[in-house]
């Protein structure tokens, strides 16, 4: 009976240790993917901020000009490899499909990864670097922010009703992990500097 009791206690303790190790492994895998997804979403936002800043520096300040290059309802970000290598530049491409369509059907917003350079990007990286598809899908969604949407700006005469003074951006990255669709969404507003 003592041997049976000791064996039972040992098996229960071993089961608890294995369960804890498996949970730790899953959490570590999720944490790593979450970190990559968050950085991919942040990178897309930085590309849009850079474009807005370039428009401002080029004195493109009117309501029709300040969103030049990202005046879309949805877009994807692509590393510019037109010279045969990546030189830190990105292109912003308008798309008509949703993130759901991309993930489930056309995969046009799938992110690729080159292990040699550590670069994430679109399918264009395959021909330049031999990148492989990753489990991540990235898309940007834009919605105008009107004068009347922001506090008392209109009543104080700082802008007119219906005037677009900013854009709400949703940078979304989705991936499958353990047969479950996961998502990171960053949603900062971006305003015209005029």
């Amino acid at each position: 009976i003592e041997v049976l009791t000791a064996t039972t206690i040992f098996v229960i303790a071993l089961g608890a240790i294995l369960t804890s190790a498996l949970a730790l492994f899953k959490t570590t895998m999720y944490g790593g993917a979450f970190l990559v997804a968050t950085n991919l979403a942040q990178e897309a936002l930085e590309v849009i901020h850079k474009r807005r800043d370039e428009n401002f520096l080029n004195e493109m300040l009117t309501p029709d000009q300040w969103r030049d290059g990202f005046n879309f309802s949805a877009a994807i970000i692509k590393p510019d490899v037109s010279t045969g290598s990546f030189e830190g530049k990105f292109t912003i491409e308008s798309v008509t499909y949703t993130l759901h369509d991309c993930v489930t059907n056309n995969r046009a917003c799938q992110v690729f990864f080159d292990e040699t350079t550590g670069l994430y990007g679109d399918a264009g990286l395959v021909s330049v670097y031999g990148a492989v598809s990753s489990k991540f899908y990235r898309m940007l969604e834009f919605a105008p922010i009107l004068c009347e949407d922001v506090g008392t700006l209109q009543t104080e005469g700082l802008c007119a009703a219906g005037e677009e003074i900013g854009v709400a951006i949703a940078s979304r990255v989705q991936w499958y992990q353990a047969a479950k669709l996961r998502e990171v969404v960053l949603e900062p507003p971006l305003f015209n500097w005029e």
Side-chain angles (χ1 to χ4, degrees), residues 142-158:
F142 304 94
I145 298 174
L146 303 177
C147 178
E148 56 269 23
D149 296 337
V150 182
T152 60
L153 292 178
Q154 183 180 351
T155 57
E156 293 175 8
L158 298 173

Side-chain angles (χ1 to χ4, degrees), residues 82-96:
S82 60
T83 62
S85 65
F86 177 65
E87 298 173 358
K89 296 179 182 175
F90 292 85
T91 60
I92 306 164
E93 183 178 295
S94 175
V95 297
T96 57

Side-chain angles (χ1 to χ4, degrees), residues 89-170:
K89 296 179 182 175
F90 292 85
T91 60
I92 306 164
E93 183 178 295
S94 175
V95 297
T96 57
Y97 51 83
T98 65
L99 184 57
H100 175 75
D101 290 338
C102 175
V103 172
T104 59
N105 296 323
N106 69 21
R107 304 203 184 286
C109 68
Q110 185 168 17
V111 178
F112 287 74
F113 177 67
D114 176 49
E115 194 172 298
T116 306
T117 62
L119 184 62
Y120 283 91
D122 69 313
L125 294 180
V126 175
S127 60
V128 176
Y129 293 108
V132 296
S133 60
S134 74
K135 61 184 173 181
F136 300 102
Y137 300 85
R138 173 172 62 184
M139 183 176 285
L140 289 159
E141 298 166 353
F142 304 94
I145 298 174
L146 303 177
C147 178
E148 56 269 23
D149 296 337
V150 182
T152 60
L153 292 178
Q154 183 180 351
T155 57
E156 293 175 8
L158 298 173
C159 56
E163 180 182 345
E164 182 180 310
I165 61 169
V167 62
I169 306 171

Side-chain angles (χ1 to χ4, degrees), residues 23-43:
L24 180 62
F25 177 74
K26 286 181 180 180
T27 301
T28 302
M29 294 300 292
Y30 175 75
F34 183 83
L35 180 63
V36 170
T38 302
N39 284 320
L40 286 170
Q42 182 63 38
E43 176 184 63

